[in-house]
Amino acid sequence: MIGYGFMGAAHSVGWRQAPAVFSLPRPVELTVVVGRNPDAVAEAAEHWGWAESATDWRAVIARDDIDIVDIVTPGDSHAEIAIAALDAGKHVLCEKPLANTVAEAEEMLAAATRAEKRGVVAMVGFTYRRVPAVTLLRDLIAQGAVGTVQQVRAAYRQDWLVDPLQPLAWRLQKEHAGSGALGDIGAHIVDMTRFVTGQDVEAVSGTVETIVRRRPLLGSGTGLSGVAADGFGEVTVDDAALFTGRLSGGALVSFEATRFATGRKNALTLEVSGSEGALAFDLEDLNSLQFYDRTAPADRQGFTKILVTEAQHPYVAAWWPPGHTLGYEHAFVHQAFDLVSAIADGSQPHPTFAEGLAVQRVLGAVEESAATGSAWVRTGFRAHV
Ligand code: SOE
């Protein structure tokens, strides 16, 4: 695993729990975690149960005892590491968004296509697909439960930047993160929309906004005592992105990704409205799915709550009896299980780098629409999901 921040912790839980909960077709060994700070990465290895720690990712991907490279670094190093690892014959799991630019994502897809010819696979870490209720949402749409999809409403709202003294971390600097809320959390709802509908986002129109333009530099005496006068830096990414999308099946989508929804901590909601019904998911109630059946007798129509904890629901049979709920980290366990299963049976895990590129093209088109003020910028890419 290259990196060891928040996603490093979540992935470590996934790698450690998957062999215990699922009968994996291959054993999983947490061999080495890589970071630039030797003391910090050694502590992370100890804490999360990795056998070794290292500071040179190139030396690690050259090792014969490494089969999978799990990339959980900021977006500015995804392309370099993923391409080198794939060319070295290692399977790759890369955190979202796939890259910081469309051009990088295209290079990564080319490397994945080369590697696929040698039986090496690549997957993107859009984990919300693997929340059982989201996979069920996709399955129900595919079965026609809502009829023709006519509208989708997708929002991902956080508020961790409302405090203007929140320091200028890497997520707020374009050279490291590529974009702000748009790529960090907007990427999730774009991928989820493509996943549950099975359709491409063919064109978008939108705007992005940076609400607080200067923030205290890390380590510049931030806190109650205020900030040293010279300790401010420019925020170079968006704080909020609002955009409309047109799906390849004709439906309209409204997207909102913001870090300034005061009071909303990690509020991801997705509602799919169809000719025969509707389905709605709320991450803050992630074990359930709201379903409205327009074909039901008129005297009993209404949104019903499906508790997604039955053995026949996606992934649930491996866990607990009905009503015993799952949490945020379980999607990372499902991700590890699905990747190892695909490697073992020689199949292509999803989402592929092609799907990651499709999301990247949507992000790029939103930025183009926002920069030029032009309505409807085509994403110009159809991924074969
Ligand atoms: C942003 O704070 C963040 O950590 C994203 O980077 C993750 O992808 C999201 O799942 C939770 O919020």
Side-chain angles (χ1 to χ4, degrees), residues 1-5 7-9 11 70-74 78 93-95:
M1 182 169 73
I2 318 289
Y4 58 97
M7 282 300 115
H11 283 228
D70 183 9
I71 303 168
V72 293
T73 56
H78 287 185
L93 169 58
C94 183
E95 258 299 319

Side-chain angles (χ1 to χ4, degrees), residues 283-305:
L283 185 61
E284 292 182 356
D285 184 13
L286 68 84
N287 287 281
S288 69
L289 198 56
Q290 298 287 333
F291 174 49
Y292 183 92
D293 180 0
R294 212 175 140 264
T295 66
D299 65 353
R300 64 204 67 172
Q301 286 186 6
F303 272 100
T304 54
K305 176 173 176 173

